[in-house]
Amino acid sequence: TTVKNQVKMLDSNHSSAPNIFPGHADKITSLSVLSSTHFMTASLDNHVKIWDIRQQATAFSDFTVKLHAYVAGTTINREIAIAEKDKLKIVNYMSNKEVKKFKIDTNEDIEMTAMEYSADGTLLMINTKNSLIIIIDATTGDILHELRGIQNLYNEKIDACFTPCSKFVLAGSQNGQIHCWSLEDSEKVIIFENIEETNLPCLRIAFNKNAVCFCCASEKKFHIWIGN
């Protein structure tokens, strides 16, 4: 869990005090697990840090960025993605070397809110405040899909996630709907209607990696959807 400018790691098998990872000077805005021993944080202090859970005192790596960055990591390899506005770079976090650099070239001025790797490490998803979800080839930086159709009248953060097979994307909407697109053709395949909370925004959404079900949360309730 993140608490302002610290990360607290709890052991679910023991009731001991949490491990605390300090070091950021401002609020932590994103956290990504890289492996069984490493995780990554980004903060409003314009720093991206890699942490080794076996060493709490100092960060394993520390990258200074010019703007507030959004980050994503994958357990497939030792590469991380760091995005600043429309610039995206891929870094090997073990060697601290930049291996790729891309420009996110869209026809509109986007404001990013989150970034995520697909489970197979081949795709990057960028969430924006523009009612737009962008899917990028993690190897070439090419934009493969621009997913549209969710309601976001107030330009707030809309959450989205990949399915574990990396073939579909789910996204919440301001009116409580959950939209699902196929990444074969960018077509929307289904809209899940939350009849209990019509017109309440879907704030968080996540897919279970081991079962055909996903969960979503609004300001008032938590729902689990199970596939047939």
Side-chain angles (χ1 to χ4, degrees), residues 113 127-128 150-152 156-160 171-174 202:
T113 59
N127 296 356
T128 75
I150 57 177
Q151 185 186 91
N152 189 15
E156 298 175 347
K157 177 181 177 180
I158 297 294
D159 205 24
S173 187
Q174 198 174 74
C202 174

Side-chain angles (χ1 to χ4, degrees), residues 83-110:
E84 299 177 67
K85 199 170 175 56
D86 61 347
K87 303 293 192 303
L88 174 64
K89 61 183 177 181
I90 309 296
V91 176
N92 184 302
Y93 70 84
M94 296 301 289
S95 64
N96 286 351
K97 290 184 178 179
E98 184 179 298
V99 293
K100 304 183 190 89
K101 182 183 288 186
F102 311 123
K103 180 178 172 61
I104 307 169
D105 192 10
T106 64
N107 294 323
E108 55 191 288
D109 185 19
I110 63 170

Side-chain angles (χ1 to χ4, degrees), residues 54-73:
R54 299 161 295 187
Q55 300 176 1
Q56 294 175 236
T58 58
F60 177 78
S61 298
D62 188 343
F63 304 92
T64 302
V65 293
K66 295 179 181 179
L67 303 170
H68 173 220
Y70 289 93
V71 296

Side-chain angles (χ1 to χ4, degrees), residues 180-205:
C180 176
W181 293 266
S182 168
L183 296 184
E184 286 188 3
D185 52 15
S186 302
E187 292 296 323
K188 195 176 294 182
V189 294
I190 191 171
I191 297 176
F192 298 91
E193 297 279 356
N194 190 346
I195 59 175
E196 291 186 13
E197 296 186 305
T198 303
N199 295 324
L200 286 178
C202 174
L203 301 176
R204 295 290 182 268
I205 186 166

